Amino acid sequence: MLSPLLQNLIQALRVLPGVGPKSAQRMAFYLLQRNVDGGKQLSEVLADALENIGQCQQCHTLTEADLCGICSNPRRDQSVLCVVGSPADLLAIEQSGSYQGLYFQLTGHLSPIDGIGPEEIGIDALMELVARKPVEEVILANNPTVEGEATAYYIANLLAEQSIKLTRIAHGIPMGGELEYVDGGTLTHAFNGRQQFK
Amino acid sequence: MLSPLLQNLIQALRVLPGVGPKSAQRMAFYLLQRNVDGGKQLSEVLADALENIGQCQQCHTLTEADLCGICSNPRRDQSVLCVVGSPADLLAIEQSGSYQGLYFQLTGHLSPIDGIGPEEIGIDALMELVARKPVEEVILANNPTVEGEATAYYIANLLAEQSIKLTRIAHGIPMGGELEYVDGGTLTHAFNGRQQFK
Ligand SMILES: [Zn+2]
Ligand SMILES: [Zn+2]
């Protein structure tokens, strides 16, 4: 039937999210028969990326540099810090063009049941950053899901004692929705309509 | 925004069929943040496969060996040869368990408009194989599409002078459909109901 190496390739392609057995098969045949150069390119870039991409030392987003393009850009507003839960959320906000400040990217959300506490998602590093930078406002842009809300409240409690304005993006994002999939207009609305965190 | 290497990775993932910008982004973030080992495995297996998988010397299907598992299996019926248009079609027939003979896998279908003639899809090698082997029946299992039918007729014409039984799988496969997506039962039906090629 299928050769061992071909079976291995189909299996390996299934690590990709959303790729089932049929898609993996189709991808393998396509690369081997019709796009060997594209496949080689993918193999090389993937190895390079996994080897060299790590966290930005300041905001924890994905980058191969010590500091990402946003953290190293002096024209970004250093007095506002937006907390997001993933690189996809950060990218969605950047693409909306509605925000000019800095970010801090958590690694997901608090989930005590899965043993994911504040340190695992980077909240300690967030606190260090807030203490070190002249931050006047922290915008909590965690997803409006149960875990996102819980994470936002946890951070809000930690910052409550400090004289920092604490806001939460609010209007326009449907409850239970994922920030990553919201259009730019809605995100702009959510930023402009942000409310004091209670 | 996204680092150059991250952008390269997302671009490289888009060579995969069915993967648009959003999926590629999701795949890149997933591999970098949550499955580095799976990503490394994919990179390595992909390089290995692209380097080592070629055509079976006899039937032209994908394999890293000189002869594929079917061609090198002496228990397969050497007197019947089934012509298919892709490795996916060959696999679908094998998985149906309805066929015990040999295969010849064409590289797609004839398409004079795109400059794809008999040699490009391996028809010359098919003729050599038929001349060399004690083949008594050739089953034309090309897809029942316009190009597949044209390819089947072309092969039938070449073999018409020889004392070889020429059949075409027929019943059960919807016209315009793709063999790869037909269930095993339907394929079994199509094999059993095959007709003399006119
Ligand atoms: Zn950064
Ligand atoms: Zn073979």
Side-chain angles (χ1 to χ4, degrees):
Chain A
M1 199 117 45
L2 292 176
S3 77
L5 186 49
L6 190 46
Q7 287 180 38
N8 286 351
L9 176 57
I10 291 168
Q11 197 56 41
L13 283 163
R14 292 197 55 196
V15 303
L16 298 171
V19 175
K22 270 279 180 193
S23 308
Q25 214 184 82
R26 195 156 51 97
M27 288 173 172
F29 293 150
Y30 170 78
L31 293 174
L32 289 164
Q33 293 200 299
R34 288 196 268 160
N35 203 340
V36 169
D37 288 346
K40 283 183 180 163
Q41 175 86 353
L42 173 56
S43 167
E44 285 162 20
V45 172
L46 182 55
D48 187 6
L50 291 166
E51 180 75 26
N52 293 306
I53 292 180
Q55 284 186 336
C56 170
Q57 287 179 0
Q58 179 167 301
C59 76
H60 282 200
T61 199
L62 295 167
T63 178
E64 65 271 26
D66 292 339
L67 279 184
C68 74
I70 294 170
C71 288
S72 60
N73 181 352
R75 282 172 305 178
R76 303 290 300 212
D77 184 346
Q78 310 284 312
S79 70
V80 197
L81 188 71
C82 177
V83 177
V84 293
S86 76
D89 294 347
L90 191 161
L91 182 62
I93 294 170
E94 278 298 289
Q95 285 173 339
S96 80
S98 54
Y99 180 66
Q100 303 302 324
L102 300 178
Y103 290 94
F104 188 86
Q105 183 197 301
L106 299 170
T107 313
H109 298 295
L110 289 175
S111 183
I113 269 186
D114 306 311
I116 300 174
E119 286 191 24
E120 278 74 23
I121 67 170
I123 289 181
D124 49 345
L126 167 62
M127 291 305 137
E128 279 169 36
L129 181 60
V130 170
R132 187 159 52 82
K133 283 269 175 183
V135 176
E136 294 167 14
E137 177 179 359
V138 169
I139 304 175
L140 298 167
N142 309 73
N143 274 325
T145 54
V146 174
E147 297 83 4
E149 295 284 356
T151 306
Y153 272 96
Y154 184 91
I155 296 168
N157 275 330
L158 290 181
L159 292 174
E161 302 296 292
Q162 304 185 31
S163 60
I164 288 175
K165 186 175 173 192
L166 206 56
T167 56
R168 176 102 175 91
I169 51 165
H171 292 105
I173 300 175
M175 286 305 293
E178 305 238 290
L179 217 136
E180 166 181 3
Y181 297 102
V182 170
D183 65 288
T186 308
L187 274 166
T188 302
H189 195 76
F191 265 82
N192 293 340
R194 66 185 184 266
Q195 305 289 332
Q196 186 74 28
F197 199 88
K198 298 172 284 291
Chain B
M1 199 115 45
L2 293 176
S3 77
L5 185 49
L6 190 47
Q7 287 181 37
N8 287 351
L9 176 57
I10 292 167
Q11 196 56 42
L13 283 162
R14 291 198 57 196
V15 303
L16 298 171
V19 175
K22 269 280 179 193
S23 309
Q25 213 183 83
R26 195 155 49 97
M27 287 173 172
F29 293 150
Y30 170 78
L31 293 173
L32 289 164
Q33 293 199 299
R34 289 195 268 161
N35 202 339
V36 170
D37 287 347
K40 283 184 181 163
Q41 175 86 352
L42 173 56
S43 167
E44 285 162 19
V45 172
L46 182 54
D48 188 5
L50 291 166
E51 180 74 27
N52 293 307
I53 292 180
Q55 284 186 337
C56 169
Q57 287 178 1
Q58 179 167 299
C59 76
H60 283 201
T61 200
L62 295 167
T63 179
E64 64 271 25
D66 291 341
L67 279 185
C68 75
I70 293 169
C71 289
S72 60
N73 181 352
R75 282 172 306 179
R76 302 289 300 212
D77 184 345
Q78 311 283 313
S79 69
V80 197
L81 187 71
C82 178
V83 178
V84 293
S86 76
D89 293 347
L90 191 160
L91 182 62
I93 294 170
E94 279 299 289
Q95 285 172 340
S96 80
S98 55
Y99 180 67
Q100 303 301 325
L102 299 178
Y103 290 94
F104 187 86
Q105 183 196 300
L106 299 169
T107 314
H109 298 297
L110 289 175
S111 183
I113 267 184
D114 306 310
I116 300 174
E119 286 191 22
E120 278 74 23
I121 66 170
I123 289 182
D124 50 345
L126 167 61
M127 292 304 136
E128 279 170 35
L129 181 60
V130 170
R132 188 160 51 82
K133 284 267 176 183
V135 176
E136 294 168 14
E137 177 179 359
V138 169
I139 304 176
L140 297 167
N142 308 74
N143 273 325
T145 54
V146 174
E147 297 82 6
E149 296 283 358
T151 306
Y153 273 96
Y154 185 90
I155 296 168
N157 275 330
L158 290 181
L159 294 173
E161 304 295 293
Q162 304 184 30
S163 59
I164 289 174
K165 188 177 172 189
L166 207 56
T167 56
R168 176 100 174 93
I169 52 165
H171 291 106
I173 301 173
M175 286 306 291
E178 304 238 290
L179 217 136
E180 168 181 2
Y181 297 102
V182 171
D183 64 289
T186 308
L187 274 168
T188 302
H189 195 77
F191 265 82
N192 294 340
R194 67 184 184 267
Q195 305 289 332
Q196 185 74 29
F197 199 88
K198 296 172 284 289

